[in-house]
Amino acid sequence: MPVKQEPKIGFVSLGCPKALVDSEQILTQLRAEGYGVAPSYAAADLVVVNTCGFIDAAVAESLEAIGEALSENGKVIVTGCLGAKGDLVRDLHPSVLAVTGPHACQEVLAAVHAHLPRPHDPFLDLVPPQGIKLTPRHYAYLKISEGCNHRCTFCIIPQMRGGLISRPIGEVLKEAETLVRAGVKELLIISQDTSAYGVDARYRTGFWNGRPIKTQLTPLAAALGELGVWVRLHYVYPYPHVDDLIPLMAEGKLLPYLDVPLQHASPRVLKAMKRPANTGDTLARIRRWREICPDITLRSTFIVGFPGETAADFDRLLAFLEEAELDRVGCFSYSPVAGAAANDLPDPVAEEIKQARQERLMALQATISAGRLRRKLGRSCTVLVDAIEEDGTAVARSSADAPEIDGAVYIEAGRDLPVGEFVRVRIVDADQHDLYGERL
Ligand code: SF4
């Protein structure tokens, strides 16, 4: 008897970790319903493209990906942040089958059902309890909320994704437990605004394994810290209560790592961005964080060339970086995003000045980063092995290195080191972004 082939979905996932989690949820649901996942356009009966619309370059990349999927396969459903601008997609690619916005798992599934009928006899137990993950088995992103209540003038995420909606704390902790049971060693906590977790729910008391627990970041972080894996916090908007997390890091319950997007250091520019503008206070807080937890790694992102940024504003940002000595810094040169309030601000900065400022900032940060990494020479630390390269070098990460965005710890002759496991190393060399270790 011929075996009936399962209908196969091709999936293209673009954008940030939050979009990646949306992709994982859609794929998990599709697998649960009995659809297969195709490794190529040719093998797919239909392709879903999860897009990013954050900056113009991401919009262009997403539109190009949709075009490629249409020409290679022909049956395409578009979802994600660019989907929120449906007209843009349909104007350029009128033959797409459906367009949904971000975080729209059920709408995507409905569109798939309409154009590729659901398989007759799904084997629900074929799906692992932790769902389908697009990350390696040993780390996973855990999304705790969707949307954002801020109105930073350069950003259209609140328009695209709406106001903050926090996931119930019991549900988040249950997912975390399931992931840990499935072998995940590192949980990366993400959202648009991690420190606002629970604001929309008025910090309601939820339940986890029968235990009452408030829908708020500090109790959530403390509970995650009980799971015995690395817990790394991303996108932590600098509210005062973030200070409460630092003792948990000092106690080893959370990774001593804080990703706080500060965006600028000049009060004038921060005000125009509608961001918290007390830079002196930020420096004092950073000092206090380091007193409580000397091993803390601080990561931040900045925008240079924001409309109205003067040479003095930029110098102030450089002076801030010199004083703060952040460990990891990302820097974007401002680019207008359609629909952002900042587009209406006067005094745009010329493109070549933006580029020059970005280069100057990154050159300064490279020196700071190299200095901070040099302090680790001779120290021993625990690393999580991500991969083994062809020449036998193991690529691992310490508490200071988030996957994809930070540096790595390279261990020579590490072919037999276990991928996805923790090992102890001594740091023997450092450059501007990476460390080199030998196993202990
Ligand atoms: S906090 Fe982040 S997501 Fe929210 S508006 Fe500002 S930049 Fe956008």
Side-chain angles (χ1 to χ4, degrees):
M1 195 172 71
V3 179
K4 193 174 178 309
Q5 284 285 315
E6 58 188 8
K8 283 201 165 50
I9 310 288
F11 211 99
V12 180
S13 186
L14 303 169
C16 64
K18 286 151 281 195
L20 186 78
V21 172
D22 289 349
S23 297
E24 290 174 343
Q25 282 169 355
I26 295 167
L27 278 169
T28 298
Q29 194 61 38
L30 287 168
R31 284 297 283 141
E33 292 183 357
Y35 289 92
V37 179
S40 65
Y41 290 124
D45 298 300
L46 180 153
V47 178
V48 177
V49 183
N50 190 2
T51 57
C52 175
F54 187 49
I55 55 170
D56 290 354
V59 170
E61 187 193 6
S62 294
L63 288 171
E64 203 178 303
I66 296 166
E68 185 181 293
L70 278 171
S71 70
E72 297 287 327
N73 182 280
K75 289 179 88 176
V76 176
I77 291 170
V78 175
T79 183
C81 285
L82 185 61
K85 305 173 186 170
D87 289 349
L88 189 65
V89 177
R90 286 198 183 283
D91 285 351
L92 198 68
H93 299 299
S95 58
V96 294
L97 299 175
V99 182
T100 82
H103 201 51
C105 183
Q106 293 315 316
E107 288 171 52
V108 175
L109 289 166
V112 172
H113 297 158
H115 296 282
L116 188 64
R118 193 196 288 245
H120 187 55
D121 188 16
F123 291 94
L124 292 176
D125 54 348
L126 289 181
V127 178
Q130 74 276 19
I132 308 292
K133 290 285 152 197
L134 296 170
T135 44
R137 195 166 165 263
H138 57 280
Y139 68 79
Y141 293 99
L142 182 62
K143 184 149 71 168
I144 61 172
S145 63
E146 189 55 54
C148 178
N149 287 346
H150 293 285
R151 292 294 177 268
C152 303
T153 52
F154 53 82
C155 178
I156 53 165
I157 282 175
Q159 282 149 259
M160 289 195 298
R161 296 194 165 226
L164 179 79
I165 301 176
S166 302
R167 290 179 63 199
I169 191 156
E171 186 185 302
V172 172
L173 286 166
K174 208 158 163 240
E175 182 179 342
E177 274 184 310
T178 307
L179 289 166
V180 171
R181 240 181 273 127
V184 164
K185 299 284 182 355
E186 176 178 5
L187 292 167
L188 301 123
I189 311 307
I190 55 165
S191 66
Q192 309 298 340
D193 180 4
T194 295
S195 29
Y197 178 67
V199 170
D200 56 306
R202 298 178 183 223
Y203 307 124
R204 173 177 53 227
T205 298
F207 289 89
W208 175 44
N209 295 334
R211 188 172 118 195
I213 182 159
K214 265 187 154 189
T215 308
Q216 200 168 19
L217 182 59
T218 310
L220 171 66
L224 289 169
E226 292 173 24
L227 297 177
V229 296
W230 279 6
V231 178
R232 193 184 294 280
L233 300 178
H234 284 290
Y235 315 119
V236 181
Y237 191 91
Y239 294 105
H241 71 261
V242 170
D243 296 3
D244 300 340
L245 298 167
I246 313 300
L248 292 172
M249 296 181 181
E251 288 164 29
K253 295 202 171 126
L254 298 177
L255 279 186
Y257 182 100
L258 205 54
D259 174 7
V260 195
L262 295 170
Q263 311 299 6
H264 213 282
S266 156
R268 238 176 48 80
V269 177
L270 285 166
K271 211 162 152 228
M273 289 176 165
K274 289 211 175 145
R275 301 276 307 181
N278 192 340
T279 307
D281 187 44
T282 305
L283 282 168
R285 288 175 76 195
I286 290 174
R287 268 194 297 275
R288 229 168 26 244
W289 294 346
R290 286 189 171 134
E291 274 162 28
I292 299 168
C293 183
D295 282 340
I296 194 168
T297 295
L298 296 175
R299 174 180 179 82
S300 193
T301 45
F302 295 91
I303 298 172
V304 295
F306 190 75
E309 182 194 63
T310 62
D313 291 321
F314 179 65
D315 285 346
R316 189 151 184 174
L317 172 55
L318 295 186
F320 171 86
L321 287 173
E322 274 181 278
E323 193 164 350
E325 286 195 84
L326 302 174
D327 300 86
R328 310 283 191 194
V329 164
C331 175
F332 301 96
S333 119
Y334 174 76
S335 73
V337 179
N343 298 347
D344 300 331
L345 292 174
D347 305 321
V349 177
E351 206 50 50
E352 59 277 14
I353 297 180
K354 282 190 212 167
Q355 296 306 328
R357 288 181 183 169
Q358 186 182 23
E359 280 163 28
R360 263 183 79 196
L361 190 151
M362 290 318 285
L364 170 67
Q365 182 56 34
T367 317
I368 294 170
S369 168
R372 296 217 38 102
L373 291 177
R374 255 197 317 275
R375 295 183 199 185
K376 301 190 178 184
L377 290 178
R379 287 172 61 174
S380 44
C381 63
T382 299
V383 296
L384 183 55
V385 180
D386 273 342
I388 310 293
E389 290 184 338
E390 264 182 22
D391 67 356
T393 303
V395 187
R397 288 179 298 106
S398 70
S399 66
D401 314 306
E404 310 284 339
I405 49 175
D406 292 329
V409 181
Y410 293 96
I411 309 154
E412 253 183 49
R415 197 179 292 285
D416 58 330
L417 288 175
V419 171
E421 299 291 336
F422 294 112
V423 295
R424 296 283 295 168
V425 296
R426 180 181 298 108
I427 303 303
V428 294
D429 202 359
D431 58 27
Q432 285 179 349
H433 301 292
D434 300 312
L435 294 170
Y436 301 84
E438 60 185 24
R439 59 169 102 186
L440 289 174

